[in-house]
Amino acid sequence: MTEPTFDYDLFVIGAGSGGVRASRIAASHGARVAVAEEFRIGGTCVIRGCVPKKLLVYASQFAVDLGHAADYGWTVEGARFDWPTLRNAVARDVDRLNAAYTQTLNVHKVAHFLDRAEITGPHSVRLTSSGQTITAAKILIATGAWPVAAEFPGAEHTISSNEVFHLETLPGRVLIAGAGYIAMEFAGVFNALGSAVTVINRSNAILRSYDFDLRERLLAITQARGITYRFNAPIDRVEKHDDGSLLVHCNDGGAPVPADVVLVATGRRANTAGLGLEHVGITLGARGEIPVDGEGRTSCPSVFAVGDVTDRVQLTPIAIREGHAFADAQFAGKASAVAYDAIPSAVFSQPPLAAVGLTEAEARERHGDIRVFTSDFRPMKNIFNRRIERGYYKLVVDAATDRVLGIHMIGPDAPEILQAAAIAVKAGLTKADFDATVALHPSMAEELVLMR
Ligand SMILES: Cc1cc2nc3c(=O)[nH]c(=O)nc-3n(C[C@H](O)[C@H](O)[C@H](O)COP(=O)(O)OP(=O)(O)OC[C@H]3O[C@@H](n4cnc5c(N)ncnc54)[C@H](O)[C@@H]3O)c2cc1C
């Protein structure tokens, strides 16, 4: 397997979800592997993405539950929230995971360089700090994605999701630019923790890829919870005043919005800047991604790419699967293509939403004749309190085959419930299979098998 002329069989650029998985699986197949990481081992998900974000979501849900506690007979006196305590606890867990991922590389005898790597040829990389050149039979690019930079005047006064975990204090007023999943998640976190939140978006919709009815429900609930939305409002400029406060001007003719923090969450682009792709003849795709075939091959035979940098589906479990499949194919001769159908996803908004398969609109377009079943219900936990937040589930079914094409849910614990339901969609089960399944009572999930 080893070309004796190379330092390694595989050199991986980026120790995130995809890179770490590819490294350890290739090493377990007997390959000599090295990985370079310019920031922290673990990558976006662990260091400044899914994991710390979810911990903030948990923290903010206490605020909601404390509000309900009195209805259930609890008196909670003197409840106060302290941002530095939470921020530091999250940072400690990130440190723990960083150490665990480093340990994984050590256990699998993967050499790691805490340095930035740039490609210098089909079989060589250069570490930018040390200046060292390393050769490898194969190079895997797993450099992830990066927040799209704001370009309006005053952008330097804004932050991205990279910085949001490190704020000194809990901001009184947060303005969030964008309405994708990261924007909606942080809107929910700051709203529940007590900040005044304004979401500003250049279009007139939130969460474009999700089913229309879920988006409408989330919008209504979050408005009722106090989040202000301003649509069709591209940001024109951000001014910073002497007291540190910010003023955000939009191009919609409306009044400027004061804020203490402006979080720009308008998307993430493949992270390829300065990577040296020109040395191996790789041309980027229309969205700035590295084009690859089903096995992660780029246009250069010895260079491969997985994860967000290929911009197929920017989710951690996909990066992991792509990294694993790459290593199996290249170092164990096991071809195992990643399947991109029926990928479950969630937005950890408040309430959360989750979905798998086709939306109603997509199913109508692709299958024509469909049946749609919905359940609009009041979650039992909300029965005592004054909240009129209702859950909403939708099953999209192919009329010809009875096959469930999509499941869409908004309500408490929707992501937890949907993970199990996604198995049914992946397995191609029918609406009749759902109907034949006995309800688990009392639960919210039982709505899934009670829709008629
Ligand atoms: C705020 C936030 C919340 C998210 N929440 C979720 C979620 O709930 N669920 C989910 O599935 N996904 C979520 N994601 C997306 C998820 O984090 C990514 O899909 C996943 O991390 C992609 O893995 P990757 O291996 O492609 O890249 P990454 O994990 O981004 O790893 C790339 C690594 O490469 C390093 N690197 C880049 N260039 C170089 C270089 N030249 N040399 C050396 N190192 C380099 C980077 O520092 C980074 O560590 C979230 C992302 C963000 C930002």
Side-chain angles (χ1 to χ4, degrees):
M1 176 191 297
T2 307
E3 289 276 353
T5 46
F6 298 123
D7 298 329
Y8 293 98
D9 301 317
L10 173 65
F11 193 93
V12 179
I13 308 179
S17 304
V20 169
R21 177 59 70 96
S23 299
R24 83 166 167 81
I25 298 300
S28 72
H29 292 319
R32 297 172 308 136
V33 184
V35 57
E37 170 53 54
E38 69 174 344
F39 185 53
R40 297 186 72 186
I41 288 172
T44 304
C45 176
V46 169
I47 305 294
R48 47 192 175 190
C50 335
V51 174
K53 176 269 307 274
K54 187 78 185 276
L55 292 171
L56 295 189
V57 170
Y58 279 133
S60 58
Q61 281 170 346
F62 279 97
V64 180
D65 287 343
L66 283 170
H68 291 181
D71 296 327
Y72 282 89
W74 289 91
T75 303
V76 184
E77 280 160 6
R80 277 189 309 110
F81 172 71
D82 184 55
W83 167 261
T85 302
L86 171 63
R87 183 198 58 207
N88 297 345
V90 171
R92 277 195 300 277
D93 200 58
V94 167
D95 290 346
R96 179 185 69 77
L97 287 166
N98 172 235
Y101 274 72
T102 307
Q103 176 68 358
T104 296
L105 295 178
N106 290 336
V107 166
H108 289 86
K109 302 201 170 13
V110 174
H112 55 269
F113 299 91
L114 288 180
D115 204 338
R116 177 176 170 77
E118 289 170 12
I119 295 173
T120 48
H123 298 285
S124 63
V125 299
R126 187 175 160 278
L127 300 178
T128 53
S129 297
S130 72
Q132 191 181 349
T133 291
I134 297 173
T135 60
K138 289 172 181 159
I139 295 172
L140 177 67
I141 303 170
T143 51
W146 195 252
V148 171
E151 283 179 352
F152 43 76
E156 67 277 16
H157 305 311
T158 68
I159 62 168
S160 73
S161 61
N162 287 347
E163 293 79 40
V164 74
F165 301 104
H166 308 290
L167 294 174
E168 287 278 307
T169 54
L170 180 70
R173 300 162 301 180
V174 182
L175 186 142
I176 299 176
Y181 81 97
I182 293 175
M184 295 311 297
E185 291 175 341
F186 282 107
V189 165
F190 285 115
N191 169 252
L193 293 180
S195 306
V197 176
T198 305
V199 173
I200 289 192
N201 197 23
R202 57 189 315 144
S203 81
N204 63 353
I206 61 170
L207 299 173
R208 287 182 162 281
S209 63
Y210 284 89
D211 192 88
F212 179 78
D213 288 330
L214 266 61
R215 291 153 47 185
E216 287 293 294
R217 181 61 53 96
L218 182 66
L219 192 58
I221 292 177
T222 52
Q223 280 173 326
R225 284 195 185 195
I227 296 177
T228 303
Y229 290 88
R230 188 146 152 193
F231 290 119
N232 300 312
I235 293 181
D236 178 60
R237 66 187 192 281
V238 174
E239 283 170 15
K240 185 166 187 172
H241 296 163
D242 291 343
D243 63 358
S245 67
L246 305 171
L247 197 60
V248 181
H249 298 261
C250 299
N251 276 327
D252 62 348
V257 184
D260 301 304
V261 163
V262 175
L263 168 63
V264 176
T266 48
R268 294 174 60 79
R269 268 175 86 88
N271 190 4
T272 59
L275 202 52
L277 296 177
E278 64 281 9
H279 299 302
V280 284
I282 294 176
T283 311
L284 296 179
R287 300 178 313 278
E289 82 283 7
I290 297 183
V292 288
D293 70 9
E295 293 181 3
R297 279 192 201 82
T298 68
S299 56
C300 174
S302 58
V303 179
F304 297 75
V306 295
D308 282 6
V309 76
T310 65
D311 199 15
R312 285 169 284 183
V313 180
Q314 290 192 349
L315 289 173
T316 288
I318 298 299
I320 289 173
R321 281 189 174 230
E322 290 172 354
H324 201 126
F326 156 80
D328 276 350
Q330 296 302 317
F331 297 99
K334 287 194 259 175
S336 58
V338 175
Y340 294 93
D341 64 316
I343 296 171
S345 70
V347 181
F348 295 95
S349 47
Q350 300 186 30
L353 60 85
V356 63
L358 302 183
T359 64
E360 183 178 339
E362 287 167 345
R364 267 189 214 294
E365 202 179 303
R366 290 190 214 170
H367 291 254
D369 197 7
I370 60 164
R371 290 185 297 150
V372 176
F373 299 85
T374 61
S375 175
D376 191 335
F377 61 97
R378 190 170 186 189
M380 194 171 173
K381 194 177 175 186
N382 290 353
I383 289 295
F384 286 156
N385 60 55
R386 289 149 295 279
R387 272 172 191 268
I388 32 171
E389 292 184 358
R390 299 177 67 85
Y392 185 85
Y393 292 0
K394 178 186 278 190
L395 289 189
V396 179
V397 177
D398 182 31
T401 61
D402 197 39
R403 191 174 162 168
V404 177
L405 301 172
I407 304 180
H408 309 276
M409 309 168 59
I410 179 167
D413 300 327
E416 301 294 340
I417 299 166
L418 186 104
Q419 174 67 85
I423 300 169
V425 175
K426 180 72 185 169
L429 297 190
T430 60
K431 177 67 168 57
D433 293 316
F434 278 65
D435 294 346
T437 304
V438 175
L440 190 157
H441 182 75
S443 68
M444 281 177 298
E446 69 181 317
E447 298 297 329
L448 281 175
V449 297
L450 295 176
M451 289 185 231
R452 298 289 190 268

